[in-house]
Amino acid sequence: MKRAVCVAGLLLAVALSVFSQPYPPMDTPFRVNGRDLRFPLAGGLNNPQFNAVDLNNDQVMDLYVFDRTGNVQLAFINEGTPGESSYRYAPEYVPYFPQPLNDWVLLRDFNQDGAMDIFTQAQGRAPFRASSFLRILREHHIAFERLGFDNEYSLINFTLFNGTETQVFVSNVDYPSIDDLDCDGDLDILTFNPAGGYIELYENQSVERGFGLDSLIFELTDDCWGGIFESSIEQVPSGFPMPRAIVSNSPAAKRRARAAPPGSTLLTFDSDDDGDKDLVLGDITFSTLNHLVNGGNCQQAWIVEQDINYPSENVTANIPIFPAAFF
């Protein structure tokens, strides 16, 4: 018995010694259709989500990729020059991120301290499996901690009209926007409501209540952001006597199924430099992206124009399954 224990201990020590040795990464060339692949051993991408983050603290934004197929995380160091990115596959940074993350990941610096924080889907922490939640983890020297909230499941909530609280809903098959949509400096949440179709705006009240940027206090301030309803029908013609426009992603939308399956992606950014945020919408039903121009302002978004073949002035995005855009 003692001899067996000693042998096992020796084998374990040898194994630890072997695996603790540094090893050079493989640099085997792979050529496809006459082109050398830059990252042939990175594992491939099926449904990637892209986020900028400074991983090595050199003041240059690197690249973090989350692939919702298998919840895979990838990291790339930017070794390029200003205005010209050149990435190096850097799997050594991935273990610093929480494992696992689920469905969607957004890296945003909500408190403006120079370190990206993680907004992601919270799975398995709700009383009903159908519910979906946000959770946030804070970065500190590429280490993350769960940010606590004063509710049963420590998730991002908002207050209903009757004074009770419930979670901010983000479907696990959607991709929300977390951005400063009301132009006050803190981060708001744009997401589809539980029934789909209408886009809801949850405004962060941190600045309004005098907390600066260190808090996440949300109120549902617009249950039809932009005055639009995402549907599989044509856009309402200009001047049609309805208070809301209806957007689609295809000229042939009338011929498609009205009851479209869930799954939409939201990207907001100021595409026309007028101070408010415009929207790029992706949907699982279509292979193209829809660019929606906000003709309103920071306080009241109102969609006035759409490009259903975005970008129509260049090469139109055409992704067969679930297109998504990232800025």
Side-chain angles (χ1 to χ4, degrees), residues 5 35 42 44 71 73 81 102 108 112 152 174 189 197 260 273 318:
V5 171
R35 295 178 56 191
N71 296 324
Q73 303 181 64
T81 57
N102 302 100
R108 298 288 186 268
Q112 303 283 313
E152 182 180 1
D174 287 341
I189 299 173
D273 293 323
N318 186 4

Side-chain angles (χ1 to χ4, degrees), residues 228-238 240 242 244-258 286 290 292 306 308-309:
I228 60 174
F229 179 88
E230 193 210 6
S231 177
S232 295
I233 61 177
E234 296 282 9
Q235 183 182 24
V236 172
S238 178
F240 195 84
M242 287 183 64
R244 292 167 174 150
I246 301 179
V247 301
S248 70
N249 285 52
S250 169
K254 284 183 178 180
R255 299 190 295 271
R256 308 189 72 149
R258 296 296 180 94
F286 306 95
N290 193 352
L292 305 173
Q306 67 174 343
I308 60 177
N309 295 306

Side-chain angles (χ1 to χ4, degrees), residues 119 122 125-127 131-136 146-160 163-170 187-189 200-206 209 215-221:
F119 290 81
R125 300 188 60 86
S131 297
S132 303
F133 302 92
L134 291 165
R135 65 173 174 169
I136 182 170
R146 178 82 178 265
L147 183 62
F149 295 93
D150 188 20
N151 55 70
E152 182 180 1
Y153 294 97
S154 191
L155 301 167
I156 297 180
N157 277 9
F158 74 101
T159 303
L160 294 169
T164 61
E165 287 193 349
T166 187
Q167 72 276 5
V168 175
F169 180 89
V170 179
L187 292 180
D188 311 300
I189 299 173
E200 297 179 335
L201 172 61
Y202 295 86
E203 286 190 10
N204 190 355
Q205 304 298 307
S206 183
R209 299 187 185 184
S215 300
L216 294 165
I217 308 167
F218 290 98
E219 286 186 2
L220 175 59
T221 59

